[in-house]
Amino acid sequence: MKLLEEKILSEGVVEGDDILKVDSFINHQVDPALMEGFGREIANHFKDGHITKVATIESSGIAPALMTARFLNVPMLIMKKQPSRILNKNLYQTEVSSYTTEKGYELCVSRDYLSEDDHVLIVDDFLANGEAAAGAMRLIRLSHATVAGLGVLIEKSFQPGREKLESLGLDVYALARIKSLEGGKVTFLEEG
Ligand code: G4P
């Protein structure tokens, strides 16, 4: 998506060779009009997927997921992160490890909001190693619901997330695909 690529080039800040900070419009301050456009684009891509729910992982996925859910006219479900394993019978739970933060967490969602009849679209801000999305997939599959796909704003294509998720059978759609951040320069793979 040209608009997101332009925004990344004008406001994104590269840290090291592999981190892109987009705090001014996605991760800290949120641009609602821009986010609305991102949600419209993701919803449009999955419009024939019979989606019944959009799920995301707190916290930065909430804004794009809410906008996507609005355009698909379905509820948005927030998967929560718990620091430790607190077993709760009314939750689906799975352990997620994070490469970036080097801290694992327990991802959980209430059994009340997923059923085998659901077709769930996962939406998140970044796709890096794919651990969070793989965890979301496990939770959805625990409920016997169908995973309809993954929509992300920014994919770091030099990390293994897409490959890993596609090998698990997931349909992955990214609005911007970053080929490299080397030398502080953002290079895109192709138009998202
Ligand atoms: P994964 O989610 O694809 O498995 O990747 P990873 O474990 O490496 O990512 C951990 C966290 O770091 C995630 O946020 C992810 O969105 C974020 N992240 C990964 N790469 C980048 C990057 O280049 N820039 C930015 N801004 N974030 C990145 P999280 O811990 O779930 O935090 P939250 O923001 O959703 O609360």
Side-chain angles (χ1 to χ4, degrees):
M1 188 194 198
K2 208 80 210 148
L3 189 62
L4 177 54
E5 291 183 356
E6 283 167 8
K7 194 80 176 168
I8 290 169
L9 291 175
S10 64
E11 293 189 26
V13 177
V14 179
E15 285 190 358
D17 278 336
D18 62 354
I19 296 290
L20 173 71
K21 301 281 280 182
V22 282
D23 281 358
S24 69
F25 63 104
I26 294 177
N27 290 122
H28 198 119
Q29 172 172 267
V30 177
D31 183 325
L34 205 62
M35 204 55 87
E36 183 182 31
F38 299 159
R40 184 188 291 112
E41 180 76 19
I42 294 172
N44 192 45
H45 181 82
F46 289 101
K47 66 179 186 311
D48 299 323
H50 307 289
I51 312 293
T52 62
K53 245 160 228 191
V54 173
T56 192
I57 300 127
E58 63 176 350
S59 58
S60 298
I62 294 174
L66 183 64
M67 292 298 184
T68 306
R70 180 72 187 97
F71 284 105
L72 289 169
N73 208 18
V74 297
M76 189 267 284
L77 189 57
I78 304 168
M79 293 175 169
K80 312 255 186 177
K81 293 171 184 167
Q82 287 187 168
S84 63
R85 184 176 282 270
I86 303 161
L87 286 176
N88 180 325
K89 277 206 297 226
N90 200 39
L91 295 176
Y92 293 115
Q93 293 176 261
T94 189
E95 184 86 27
V96 173
S97 52
S98 170
Y99 291 94
T100 306
T101 62
E102 290 174 2
K103 266 189 249 151
Y105 55 87
E106 197 76 19
L107 190 66
C108 51
V109 69
S110 169
R111 290 173 186 251
D112 294 341
Y113 305 123
L114 282 177
S115 81
E116 60 183 4
D117 299 327
D118 280 316
H119 284 241
V120 186
L121 173 65
I122 305 165
V123 170
D124 212 348
D125 57 339
F126 271 92
L127 172 58
N129 292 293
E131 292 298 326
M137 261 182 104
R138 288 196 296 278
L139 287 188
I140 295 163
R141 287 183 171 169
L142 278 174
S143 75
H144 300 290
T146 303
V147 185
L150 170 70
V152 295
L153 303 182
I154 302 172
E155 169 192 322
K156 295 197 291 182
S157 308
F158 55 89
Q159 289 186 252
R162 174 183 284 264
E163 206 175 284
K164 186 154 66 189
L165 296 168
E166 284 182 339
S167 76
L168 296 172
L170 196 63
D171 175 9
V172 179
Y173 177 59
L175 298 188
R177 303 182 70 191
I178 294 177
K179 184 176 165 189
S180 162
L181 294 172
E182 276 171 36
K185 186 176 177 303
V186 183
T187 313
F188 295 103
L189 198 60
E190 61 192 46
E191 197 175 315

